[in-house]
Amino acid sequence: MNTLLEKIKRLKVVPVITINDAAHGAPLAKVLMENGLPCAEVTFRTPAAVQAIKNMRAAYPDLLIAAGTVLTTQQVDQAIDAGVDFIVSPGFNPKIVTYCQQKNVIIIPGVNSPSLVEQALEFNLTTLKFFPAEASGGTAMLKALSAVYPVKFMPTGGIGLNNIAQYTALPSVLVCGGSWMVPNSLIDSENWDELAKLVAEAANI
């Protein structure tokens, strides 16, 4: 397995983060690094994402950083320039996958059906995001897909403390994505102490 994927696997959960103020990137990275989850998927849902990633990378070079919700080739370029380790997309877009492969950056695209898994396999991709996880059948769907296809999944969407153990128990699950330990309200209010508690709780799963 790729060294990066091995690092991700050891985490059990990847924090999926939406940042409204780029200045919050470095202190949030500090919280993640010091409380057992040295990884961040920063979603490209806000204008602050690119600069936040740059701030995180500058402050903590060893932090694993992904760009999430990547929908365009321009965003791929921005993510690479900002210093991400890998890219995550919510769906399977052949154009984006091809572009990432040409740029030699790992992409974990989203799938939620047999047809999409087969498309991903045609691109030699065997690590895939399962999104939206709960809405797409949850662990039952994952069991059905993994019985047929030799792939690993990163389920994201509707996962929290109440059900993450059901996902991580599956051999086909590499790691889960979740946002419950990095809520926007605490990031926006700069409540780093409370965030630290939630991150540490998630890291101890």
Side-chain angles (χ1 to χ4, degrees):
M1 183 181 292
N2 180 280
T3 302
L4 173 64
L5 297 179
E6 285 286 359
K7 291 180 180 178
I8 296 171
K9 181 180 180 179
R10 288 195 291 268
L11 294 172
K12 298 297 184 185
V13 59
V14 172
V16 179
I17 302 162
T18 301
I19 295 183
N20 294 309
D21 184 345
H24 293 157
L28 180 55
K30 182 175 187 288
V31 169
L32 296 172
M33 291 290 289
E34 293 181 352
N35 292 279
L37 283 182
C39 183
E41 178 188 327
V42 180
T43 65
F44 269 49
R45 296 178 185 174
T46 69
V50 174
Q51 187 58 50
I53 291 171
K54 290 180 178 179
N55 294 346
M56 287 177 155
R57 175 59 71 220
Y60 295 93
D62 294 332
L63 181 71
L64 284 178
I65 306 177
T69 321
V70 172
L71 305 176
T72 68
T73 56
Q74 180 184 15
Q75 289 177 331
V76 172
D77 289 335
Q78 291 173 330
I80 293 172
D81 180 64
V84 300
D85 295 293
F86 61 107
I87 287 172
V88 182
S89 60
F92 186 85
N93 183 331
K95 179 180 178 180
I96 301 301
V97 169
T98 299
Y99 193 73
C100 286
Q101 291 179 332
Q102 291 171 345
K103 293 287 185 175
N104 293 315
V105 61
I106 290 176
I107 180 169
I108 302 178
V111 301
N112 68 346
S113 70
S115 296
L116 290 172
V117 173
E118 291 194 15
Q119 287 187 53
L121 288 172
E122 284 294 307
F123 284 81
N124 296 315
L125 295 175
T126 55
T127 301
L128 306 170
K129 179 175 181 173
F130 179 61
F131 177 82
E134 282 290 281
S136 298
T139 55
M141 176 62 93
L142 281 175
K143 289 176 183 177
L145 292 173
S146 61
V148 180
Y149 302 111
V151 299
K152 295 291 185 181
F153 293 101
M154 182 174 76
T156 306
I159 297 176
L161 287 175
N162 63 314
N163 60 2
I164 188 171
Q166 300 168 25
Y167 283 91
T168 56
L170 299 179
S172 63
V173 170
L174 179 76
V175 68
C176 289
S179 58
W180 77 88
M181 81 297 290
V182 283
N184 291 354
S185 59
L186 294 184
I187 297 173
D188 290 341
S189 63
E190 300 182 358
N191 193 338
W192 309 123
D193 289 341
E194 190 61 31
L195 279 163
K197 293 177 184 177
L198 293 177
V199 170
E201 182 183 39
N204 288 328
I205 292 172

